[in-house]
Amino acid sequence: MSQIANSAAARDIAHYLHPYTNLKTHQTSGPLIITRGEGVRVFDDEGRGYIEGLAGLWCTTLGFSEPRLVRAATQALETLPFYHGFGHKSTPASIDLAEKLLHLAPVPMSKVLFANSGSESNDTAVKLIWYVNNARGRPEKKKIISRTKGYHGVTVATGSLTGIAPMQADFDLPIDRILHTDCPHHYRFSEPGESEESFASRCADNLEKLILEQGPETVAAFFAEPVMGAGGVLVPPATYFEKIQAVLKKYEVLFIADEIICGFGRTGNMFGCQTYGIKPDMISVAKGLSSGYLPISALMITEEIYQSMVSESEKIGIFGHGHTYGGHPVPAAVALETLRIYEERDMVGQVRRIAPHFQTRLAELSDHPLVGQVRGVGLLGAVELMRDKATRTGFDPADGVGTYCVNRSLAHGLIHRAMGDSLAFAPPFIISEQEIDQMVEMFKLALDDTLDWVIQRGLFKQP
Ligand code: PLP
């Protein structure tokens, strides 16, 4: 960690307001200043290297030094540093990228709308749901359901969809017309002896109850990540999406798949929708779309939705929505090159080859006294810590056990994130078996340090 005396750290504290940071703690802790990256590692301003166990923020799938992406960006900047898509304008890169995304889509999709971040794509989806139901003469059908612990972004609408308390507390969210249904975390929320299948049925029944309580004529859409990321890498229980989709279909509720983490191979298929048999009406992607190298996101929509939008924009005179930088030719060129690399190097195959080693090494941690559950799919994983494994009782969030643990990981040369007391892993797809071993060994040291710390503080229930 940079010393406060270091002028960059002092200037950071003085000037830079950090997202998802305890602002008070930051005044004394200061920042960790990352200055460069290479492969799966990043380096701080004192030259210390860290394995990036979360690919930055689940995004740098190709690691931190892919020269082809640098060349694609440079070339695009030299050719056309900006243009837009407003008022019938276009650029070759955005045309090619839209076409390519539709070609990759897990179900037939008709059009692509670009933006700059995952939040913006999901926010756009909310607006389109409302727009389309107005076009279809169903002005009452506007409510949107997401899930407790789901993460869909931070704008006013997507922060409302997000079902995690600190993202809403005192921001006066959620806004109305946004509802939450069960979090499908079998390990924490199932009844004693309840199978994954029965738990999934209960989640689907509760969703149906919610729709009926609200009135199906008022419920427009359901948002879900195939695997919940920021909620703690929550893998859906067996039969969950099958049962949820049956309910949605019954009441004509659209399914919006948030593929912002799962998209482009993370779960071992090009899309999480393929891993879990999801047939969405809209799909939002970002992060892995450009390997995180430049900001870009995209929302894919079906032909039916597009047709309703056409009639609405004809009525109003224009489709009154767009971001200045949506479809920007430079990030679009980088995204295209990223998708080319995924294909040429068979990155989905690479994830499938390396994932068993990753999952096996993580699963070995189940025996650790602190570890309640290890879960994951593809190159996504989480280790959930428990105060008392036998009764599945977690720590008091105020004790900050997860945060302590990731800080210990950092001290051992590993960066990843704590989602409460679930420690998440989503390394770059290019990670080797040896680097996975190093990552797990560093994490084991952090777990041992954390066990000592909770025992010393009397927080741990000894088995
Ligand atoms: N949806 C999911 C599943 C995400 O993980 C994220 C970000 O982590 C978002 C949406 C929001 O994306 P952004 O931070 O680019 O706005």
Side-chain angles (χ1 to χ4, degrees):
M1 183 79 57
S2 308
Q3 296 303 309
I4 302 304
N6 170 321
S7 71
R11 286 187 294 116
D12 178 287
I13 293 169
H15 306 122
Y16 180 4
L17 185 65
H18 286 263
Y20 283 118
T21 296
N22 182 317
L23 300 181
K24 184 73 186 167
T25 310
H26 190 74
Q27 292 172 357
T28 45
S29 73
L32 170 67
I33 302 174
I34 300 296
T35 54
R36 70 184 184 89
E38 199 180 317
V40 300
R41 287 186 166 76
V42 292
F43 296 84
D44 69 16
D45 55 351
E46 289 163 3
R48 284 197 63 188
Y50 305 86
I51 292 188
E52 236 310 345
L54 206 80
L57 290 173
W58 329 81
C59 50
T60 50
T61 47
L62 298 176
F64 290 84
S65 51
E66 175 49 60
R68 279 179 57 179
L69 299 186
V70 178
R71 276 199 296 276
T74 311
Q75 231 168 43
L77 275 168
E78 284 168 355
T79 313
L80 181 68
F82 173 78
Y83 221 74
H84 60 85
F86 286 29
H88 311 281
K89 309 294 188 303
S90 201
T91 64
S94 41
I95 296 169
D96 289 350
L97 184 58
E99 186 178 34
K100 184 77 197 163
L101 281 170
L102 294 175
H103 176 71
L104 291 175
V107 293
M109 287 280 156
S110 168
K111 298 288 178 287
V112 177
L113 186 54
F114 292 110
N116 313 289
S117 67
S119 298
E120 285 175 343
S121 264
N122 285 336
D123 199 81
T124 300
V126 171
K127 285 179 74 180
L128 296 193
I129 291 158
W130 293 340
Y131 195 73
V132 160
N133 276 353
N134 286 326
R136 292 176 177 175
R138 305 196 295 198
E140 295 302 310
K141 202 167 171 71
K142 296 286 171 58
K143 292 176 189 163
I144 303 178
I145 301 177
S146 60
R147 301 170 304 166
T148 304
K149 287 188 182 278
Y151 188 85
H152 301 291
V154 293
T155 61
V156 172
T158 61
S160 297
L161 290 170
T162 290
I164 305 175
M167 287 71 155
Q168 300 189 332
D170 288 350
F171 287 118
D172 290 7
L173 300 179
I175 53 172
D176 66 356
R177 303 197 287 188
I178 305 255
L179 308 161
H180 291 93
T181 190
D182 298 330
C183 169
H185 186 13
H186 178 263
Y187 176 73
R188 288 306 291 275
F189 303 125
S190 59
E191 307 285 356
E194 191 178 30
S195 68
E196 287 197 24
E197 286 81 356
S198 310
F199 176 62
S201 300
R202 186 154 62 85
C203 291
D205 289 348
N206 286 344
L207 173 65
E208 182 160 21
K209 271 188 214 139
L210 179 64
I211 293 173
L212 290 172
E213 262 162 38
Q214 297 291 324
E217 70 290 355
T218 70
V219 180
F222 175 80
F223 260 79
E225 304 149 81
V227 177
M228 287 173 151
V233 185
L234 306 177
V235 179
T239 70
Y240 173 78
F241 278 116
E242 183 189 310
K243 289 168 180 163
I244 292 286
Q245 289 181 99
V247 173
L248 300 178
K249 205 163 173 201
K250 190 163 162 192
Y251 300 106
E252 288 183 69
V253 176
L254 300 174
F255 193 129
I256 319 305
D258 181 339
E259 289 269 9
I260 288 165
I261 287 179
C262 295
F264 308 107
R266 181 60 71 189
T267 66
N269 286 296
M270 189 51 103
F271 290 95
C273 285
Q274 290 153 330
T275 306
Y276 297 107
I278 300 169
K279 305 258 175 300
D281 300 284
M282 299 189 201
I283 301 173
S284 57
V285 291
K287 297 190 189 281
L289 173 57
S290 63
S291 184
Y293 278 40
L294 283 177
I296 182 164
S297 62
L299 181 69
M300 295 183 248
I301 60 170
T302 59
E303 178 66 15
E304 295 77 38
I305 290 172
Y306 169 66
Q307 286 304 335
S308 298
M309 290 173 62
V310 170
S311 63
E312 190 69 2
S313 87
E314 197 179 14
K315 184 186 90 190
I316 297 170
I318 194 166
F319 168 50
H321 175 91
H323 297 278
T324 298
Y325 302 118
H328 191 296
V330 181
V334 171
L336 266 174
E337 188 69 353
T338 304
L339 299 183
R340 271 186 217 115
I341 294 174
Y342 288 160
E343 267 180 2
E344 284 171 26
R345 299 187 193 157
D346 182 23
M347 290 313 288
V348 173
Q350 161 66 11
V351 170
R352 286 187 182 196
R353 280 186 292 278
I354 199 84
H357 186 72
F358 170 71
Q359 297 294 345
T360 308
R361 291 302 324 263
L362 276 191
E364 284 167 15
L365 302 172
S366 304
D367 294 336
H368 192 279
L370 264 183
V371 174
Q373 192 195 31
V374 179
R375 53 181 176 265
V377 59
L379 276 182
L380 263 179
V383 173
E384 185 161 358
L385 309 185
M386 286 285 140
R387 190 179 88 81
D388 181 358
K389 272 166 94 149
T391 58
R392 297 191 183 178
T393 312
F395 291 98
D396 183 340
D399 291 326
V401 176
T403 305
Y404 182 84
C405 187
V406 284
N407 285 335
R408 292 314 303 155
S409 290
L410 189 72
H412 294 296
L414 166 65
I415 297 181
H416 61 141
R417 279 169 72 85
M419 318 291 169
D421 291 336
S422 289
L423 292 312
F425 295 87
F429 297 171
I430 59 162
I431 196 164
S432 66
E433 288 199 0
Q434 196 194 8
E435 287 162 337
I436 288 172
D437 293 342
Q438 288 168 354
M439 181 170 83
V440 173
E441 292 309 319
M442 289 169 181
F443 182 57
K444 269 189 189 162
L445 296 175
L447 273 180
D448 290 342
D449 294 347
T450 308
L451 182 60
D452 290 346
W453 186 76
V454 292
I455 291 173
Q456 271 167 25
R457 305 183 132 226
L459 302 176
F460 185 62
K461 174 86 173 45
Q462 299 278 2

